[in-house]
Amino acid sequence: MNRERLKKLASEKRLIPGIYNYCDRWCERCPQTSRCLNFPISEEEFSDPEAQDIRNEAFWNKLSGILGETLELLRKSAKEWGIELEMLGSIDDIENIKAKDVAAENHLLCRAAKRYGEWVEDWFRGRETLFFETAAAAREGVSLEEAIEVIRWHQYFICAKVMRAIQGNIEEGEERCDEFASDSDGSAKIALIAIDRSVAAWAVIQHYFTDCDKEMIHVIAFLDGLRQAVDETFPNARSFIRPGFDEIDPNR
Ligand code: SF4
């Protein structure tokens, strides 16, 4: 997509600015695709089945093309706003960012969310075929297939969003105002939504696989503990209004 097309698209009134910042990136299941700038960009750039193959050279070329366009647009906008991009990347800044990344990675919540992602991987390995066979047999009822999809989709997403929330919290530091929800609350909220959905999906699986009960109770309890910890760390997260998802849009 060229720069002019991108600018034209970005100026369309139907789009909700920043809606893609607090979603779960599951565009196939998103009720807001028509209001999201990210959706037509992805559709246009990656609609070619060959380009969807991440091993395909065309995919990476396309991605680097998007990066080039984006950087060019960024430089142009920065010039218009009088921002010197070179000043933003000093060694001190980079060291600072690295230190914050390490602090976030070592945070208990991030480690717990990461552990959950790995646990799901171990648990599904070797069981997936059995699951999909059972799902196919049980298609007429609660969808086991969908429950698996939900867990797999959010497996690493939870950690990514908890991490972003923790990083945001560190960056906001003392400037943070507890009376108002902040960007880190937005990230925590989408992590909490992903946890809630995953817990519900595990409950569906538990219904079908009673012989794995003990392990599933363990994972549900683990997720529930993570949910409580995120809720306690980010008490404003649940009340964060995600543009397009939690508010009534007057343009609709
Ligand atoms: S808001 Fe919806 S369409 Fe846009 S990136 Fe998120 S999931 Fe995809």
Side-chain angles (χ1 to χ4, degrees), residues 19-20 23 25-27 30 33 36 38-39 245:
I19 187 171
Y20 40 77
C23 67
R25 294 292 171 129
W26 201 349
C27 304
C30 179
T33 52
C36 173
N38 189 59
F39 185 72
F245 288 102

Side-chain angles (χ1 to χ4, degrees), residues 119-236:
W119 189 90
V120 172
E121 196 54 47
D122 293 345
W123 202 82
F124 271 94
R125 195 171 294 139
R127 286 184 171 108
E128 211 133 27
T129 314
L130 169 70
F131 270 28
F132 277 106
E133 279 167 8
T134 312
R139 209 171 293 262
E140 288 180 19
V142 181
S143 171
L144 179 58
E145 222 167 355
E146 283 175 343
I148 295 169
E149 257 191 286
V150 169
I151 290 167
R152 291 305 231 169
W153 184 265
H154 295 109
Q155 164 183 2
Y156 296 115
F157 179 85
I158 292 172
C159 181
K161 288 296 164 182
V162 167
M163 186 94 151
R164 187 173 153 173
I166 295 290
Q167 276 169 336
N169 215 4
I170 294 171
E171 273 160 31
E172 285 155 16
E174 287 171 4
E175 284 169 28
R176 190 181 161 83
C177 171
D178 285 339
E179 275 179 47
F180 302 104
S182 62
D183 179 67
S184 56
D185 289 316
S187 299
K189 177 164 188 172
I190 189 64
L192 284 167
I193 291 170
I195 294 172
D196 291 345
R197 288 177 179 166
S198 300
V199 168
W202 277 111
V204 171
I205 291 183
Q206 191 186 21
H207 176 74
Y208 285 97
F209 294 91
T210 44
D211 56 331
C212 309
D213 242 12
K214 204 173 156 201
E215 270 182 284
M216 268 181 271
I217 287 169
H218 175 77
V219 75
I220 290 172
F222 183 87
L223 267 184
D224 196 47
L226 181 60
R227 171 168 54 185
Q228 283 177 36
V230 175
D231 261 326
E232 277 164 25
T233 310
F234 297 93
N236 294 326

